[in-house]
Amino acid sequence: MDDAAPRKGTVTQRAVEEIKAMIAEGRLEPGQRLPTERDLAVRLGISRSSTREAIRALTVMGVLDARHGSGIYVGALEAGDLLETFGVVADLSRGPRLVELLEVRRVLESTATALAAARITEDQLAALAAHLAAMNATDDPEEILAHDLAFHREIASAAGNATMAAILDGLSSRTFRARLRRGYQEEGALARTRREHAAIHRALTARDPEAARAAAAAHVSEVEEWLRGRIGGGER
């Protein structure tokens, strides 16, 4: 367990929650410098050591930003920054946890793709077509993976929800996809994967949210079911 994460119920954890409340209620704004450690400890009614640990924990989470020689500031609180560690969880997970992550990805990917169908621009559709053509023009796994990632990131961006895009980015990290694709491609799935990407692109071009949702869900489900079979057969 990360020693930067204070145990629930401790003085430090209560300090963490209080500082988070100060930010949520607007008493501290993104980019604002925190009071000195001593002043903050007095305001919170706790020791300076507990205040220091709370600040450290929130800095690790990305909520606070320690600037050398300047002080501690409230971070920008962008979803991508706060959810950065989510990708690490995806990269390190094994067995049944991988299936759980794919279930989450299926739900969010299909929702994002449905939203994108209503919001995507002509330039974004052209970018998707370029990635699709590049995937079809090569058998190199690294090139396919790069364009696969870019294809789905473009869709997440077109959905217009930065938080959802950040979560999906964590669930679709290069390492995570590479681990799945290595085994999945061994079973001759490349042609099917290309067809699935083409179906997603057609639905987006038609600006049909329900067709886009179904195509995206089917795409992730193929990998999900393959992984379930591997785990059931002893994969860990």
Side-chain angles (χ1 to χ4, degrees):
M1 182 178 292
D2 186 351
D3 62 5
R7 289 172 296 173
K8 188 173 182 180
T10 65
V11 173
T12 301
Q13 178 62 26
R14 291 198 298 274
V16 166
E17 296 303 321
E18 178 59 27
I19 295 170
K20 285 164 60 179
M22 291 167 71
I23 296 169
E25 294 165 9
R27 289 179 279 157
L28 289 171
E29 296 285 351
Q32 182 178 340
R33 189 177 186 276
L34 260 66
T36 65
E37 185 181 287
R38 181 175 61 184
D39 290 346
L40 189 57
V42 170
R43 185 181 301 188
L44 298 176
I46 62 174
S47 69
R48 290 183 64 176
S49 62
S50 292
T51 302
R52 190 178 306 119
E53 285 302 308
I55 290 172
R56 176 172 175 263
L58 287 166
T59 300
V60 171
M61 294 177 200
V63 175
L64 299 179
D65 177 23
R67 303 179 190 175
H68 183 69
S70 178
I72 307 294
Y73 292 77
V74 180
L77 306 182
E78 296 290 341
D81 297 330
L82 296 176
L83 293 168
E84 187 175 344
T85 56
F86 196 60
V88 177
V89 174
D91 289 342
L92 300 181
S93 293
R94 304 170 59 198
R97 181 64 57 82
L98 276 175
V99 175
E100 291 179 1
L101 290 170
L102 277 171
E103 286 180 339
V104 175
R105 183 184 155 207
R106 171 166 46 83
V107 171
L108 292 181
E109 192 98 49
S110 57
T111 300
T113 308
L115 288 171
R119 300 171 178 175
I120 197 164
T121 67
E122 290 300 323
D123 285 346
Q124 288 170 324
L125 281 171
L128 289 180
H131 290 305
L132 187 60
M135 278 190 275
N136 291 337
T138 182
D139 290 325
D140 182 272
E142 286 298 314
E143 287 188 39
I144 292 170
L145 178 60
H147 288 290
D148 186 346
L149 280 166
F151 182 91
H152 288 285
R153 281 175 177 155
E154 192 73 51
I155 292 171
S157 176
N161 185 313
T163 302
M164 187 184 297
I167 296 172
L168 280 170
D169 201 46
L171 286 169
S172 305
S173 72
R174 187 178 185 86
T175 302
F176 180 58
R177 279 183 182 266
R179 287 171 62 206
L180 291 174
R181 189 170 295 282
R182 269 198 303 271
Y184 192 48
Q185 285 181 340
E186 287 171 6
E187 304 192 7
L190 181 56
R192 182 165 61 239
T193 298
R194 285 170 169 157
R195 289 195 300 271
E196 289 164 0
H197 281 89
I200 292 170
H201 184 253
R202 283 195 302 273
L204 291 170
T205 301
R207 302 187 185 280
D208 185 335
E210 289 313 308
R213 185 192 306 275
H219 175 50
V220 182
S221 290
E222 286 285 350
V223 185
E224 187 182 327
E225 290 308 309
W226 165 81
L227 184 59
R228 287 183 190 277
R230 290 290 294 269
I231 291 172
E235 178 80 3
R236 291 292 181 269

